[in-house]
Amino acid sequence: MSDSILDLVSDLRRLRLERGALTYEAIARSAGLSRSIVAEAFGGARLPSERTLFGVVTALGADPSSWLVRRAELAGSVTPIAATTAAQPGESDAG
């Protein structure tokens, strides 16, 4: 099974809804993070840091162990979005 940052974030959003749809502010306060960092974690533009994921998942009342394993696996295979859309050296639009 292939996993992606978007899959991880989708599951994180689902967890948030299952746990009563806490506000980002409430999650941030509980996790000791800023609201903007929490919002980024749910945004999906990049992989949340270990600290952020641990804090968010813990604030939502779940065990972060499997989440951190999943994050570590993704971190080993993540290519920045910009790198996947940029032309490779030597490539051109001319066909």
Side-chain angles (χ1 to χ4, degrees), residues 61-85:
D63 180 0
S65 301
S66 64
W67 290 86
L68 293 174
V69 168
R70 189 172 170 191
R71 187 213 171 272
E73 291 170 353
L74 283 170
S77 65
V78 168
T79 302
I81 292 171
T84 62
T85 58

Side-chain angles (χ1 to χ4, degrees), residues 10 12 15-16 29 33 38 42 48 63 71 73 75 77 83 92:
S10 177
L12 194 60
L15 177 64
R16 178 177 170 238
R29 199 174 320 113
L33 301 167
V38 171
F42 285 95
D63 180 0
R71 187 213 171 272
E73 291 170 353
S77 65
S92 70

